[in-house]
DNA sequence: CTAGTAATCAATTATTCGCTTGAATACTAG
DNA sequence: CTAGTATTCAAGCGAATAATTGATTACTAG
């Protein structure tokens, strides 16, 4: 009778529980950029390989990611774009109802975020007019796995020394891993310092892709 | 630096962890019908009062519900409609990626679900044409807290004895607490047995309300 | 066949979580 | 002021979780 509901709720709980750990959210954040091997994920997140492996298995058991072995490595990937949506919903209600978020965001971002970010729709419009340089500041590994069509890859850590690659007469819109990814904040701040007109894209690459907009990958 | 991201992820994890327990999902399911006191929730879920209270405080700490004292009782309510959306996203990706769900649903519902459910849009269309009786089979307590405008309340357990209240010449669309709430399945099965033309609304009252459609409450 | 690499498994320990129990608090009605 | 009701608090215990460590499996390159 009501037994069915509880069996289903148990499944929902397993999925929610899988999302209930910082390290697993972190792993999902990286996987949302593109597939990766265990070793790469462990290095990106700073976890030991064994620990990362266990967390990844947890996520797989919950159905949030899938894996397949190719050659020596096991590659993990998000089970689907809807997982990005679920993470977005989690972020959204947390932002909305947890006061702590405001405090954290205000403390670290506000100084930089004074100029409002650009939405996806706006980026599309402005880039159709051809007046804008779209800048991807993620590491090139992630850029190669997938990026916004026409974007220029210039990882944050190389930004200083490769500044001359950027046209100074065009507006620059920077993006990275997601709405709270610090890379694009830093990039915009640095670019403004150098006299560029720079803005941040409101969200990151995973949200762009999940919304069904076209993407481009380097072979 | 990347410290900010982890502080934020910790907040997301707290919210996800709050969703990661059957009893708390159950409590949210009832709260999605309307506000309730601790005692009522404990009775509805079958938990001890102390246990229910602790789970509710957990949910409140996570920001998913709010509470206020009125008279002797403490009433809890969802923090916002977006919580229904988050639960929907959780349900959606679980359905999509966890094979176990298919098994459970197939085993219990398939026999009954042979006839496809009606969507919200369809219900609106048909009820505008005035050819349909909308039936709310939840307990009257929940009906009174809020229901679809024009719906008739006939709790499942009274259905047999109050069958004569239903016009036999109109199609009946039944709904209850949510997509997996068994009440409406049972009701449709029972009504068909008696010769009525009955269908199930695809989702329940919380989803209806969260989508911004008008609702009605009994004073 | 051997060495080396990538990942998982298994065992251990510290920590957190969930539930029960009984006491404590807060309030209301009389 | 007292009795009764609704809820929370606090302590305690067993179960589940997370991280570490070292061993093991599976595969590839030479």
């Amino acid at each position: 009778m009501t037994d069915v509901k509880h069996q289903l709720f148990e499944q929902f709980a397993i999925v929610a529980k899988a999302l209930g750990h910082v390290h697993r959210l972190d792993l999902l954040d990286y996987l949302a950029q593109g597939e990766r091997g265990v070793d790469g994920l462990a290095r990106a997140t700073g976890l030991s390989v064994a620990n990362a492996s266990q967390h990844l298995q947890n996520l797989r058991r919950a159905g949030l990611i899938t894996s397949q072995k190719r050659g020596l490595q096991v590659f993990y990937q998000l089970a689907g774009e809807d997982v990005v949506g679920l993470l977005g919903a989690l972020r959204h209600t947390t932002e909305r109802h947890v006061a702590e978020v405001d405090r954290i965001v205000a403390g670290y971002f506000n100084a930089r975020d004074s100029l409002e970010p650009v939405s996806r729709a706006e980026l599309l419009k402005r880039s159709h007019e051809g007046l804008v340089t779209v800048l991807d500041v993620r590491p090139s590994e992630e850029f190669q796995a997938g990026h916004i069509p026409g974007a220029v890859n210039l990882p944050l850590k190389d930004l200083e020394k490769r500044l001359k690659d950027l046209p100074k007469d065009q507006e620059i819109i920077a993006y990275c891993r997601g709405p709270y990814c610090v890379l694009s904040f830093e990039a915009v701040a640095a670019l403004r310092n150098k006299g560029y007109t720079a803005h941040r894209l409101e969200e990151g690459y995973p949200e762009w892709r999940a919304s069904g907009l076209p993407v481009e990958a380097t072979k």
Side-chain angles (χ1 to χ4, degrees), chain A:
Chain A
M1 181 73 134
T2 183
D3 188 40
V4 191
K5 190 179 78 171
H6 277 88
Q7 284 185 47
L8 287 165
F9 277 20
E10 222 152 280
Q11 301 302 316
F12 302 158
I14 289 170
V15 175
K17 223 178 279 186
L19 296 175
H21 195 284
V22 185
H23 291 166
R24 285 191 291 269
L25 289 175
D26 209 15
L27 287 166
L28 288 172
D29 194 41
Y30 283 105
L31 285 172
Q33 314 304 319
E35 68 163 31
R36 284 232 200 182
V38 177
D39 196 59
L41 287 164
R43 214 155 334 103
T45 55
L47 300 175
S48 76
V49 173
N51 197 10
S53 173
Q54 283 179 145
H55 281 302
L56 288 165
Q57 284 172 69
N58 186 328
L59 288 167
R60 187 179 45 196
R61 253 177 280 128
L64 292 168
I65 63 178
T66 57
S67 70
Q68 73 222 44
K69 194 154 192 174
R70 278 206 307 279
L72 260 199
Q73 293 184 73
V74 175
F75 288 91
Y76 283 89
Q77 51 269 137
L78 289 196
E81 295 300 342
D82 58 318
V83 176
V84 177
L86 175 55
L87 289 168
L90 178 61
R91 188 166 55 225
H92 179 248
T93 71
T94 309
E95 284 171 1
R96 206 166 189 79
H97 301 297
V98 179
E100 194 66 9
V101 171
D102 289 335
R103 207 190 51 72
I104 298 168
V105 171
Y108 289 79
F109 290 134
N110 246 14
R112 316 207 137 95
D113 199 24
S114 46
L115 293 132
E116 69 291 348
V118 175
S119 70
R120 287 196 293 261
E122 217 164 334
L123 184 145
L124 279 170
K125 203 186 89 194
R126 293 200 214 171
S127 83
H128 267 296
E129 293 163 1
L131 301 165
V132 81
T133 300
V134 180
L135 178 63
D136 186 322
V137 292
R138 296 175 300 160
S140 56
E141 182 182 3
E142 294 169 26
F143 177 82
Q144 281 164 30
H147 54 83
I148 295 179
V152 175
N153 181 223
L154 218 167
L156 182 60
K157 64 190 179 70
D158 303 337
L159 190 61
E160 296 280 343
K161 44 183 154 143
R162 288 181 46 197
L163 262 185
K164 51 180 155 306
D165 296 8
L166 287 174
K168 203 149 188 167
D169 56 332
Q170 274 201 342
E171 181 190 355
I172 293 169
I173 297 181
Y175 73 91
C176 52
R177 294 188 182 120
Y180 291 128
C181 174
V182 288
L183 302 177
S184 64
F185 284 90
E186 302 285 344
V188 168
L191 288 171
R192 291 210 181 137
N193 242 331
K194 302 287 181 185
Y196 288 87
T197 306
H199 291 277
R200 220 173 51 77
L201 181 63
E202 195 173 19
E203 301 192 306
Y205 170 68
E207 291 81 14
W208 174 280
R209 193 192 58 226
S211 79
L213 288 166
V215 301
E216 203 173 76
T218 311
K219 226 350 192 346

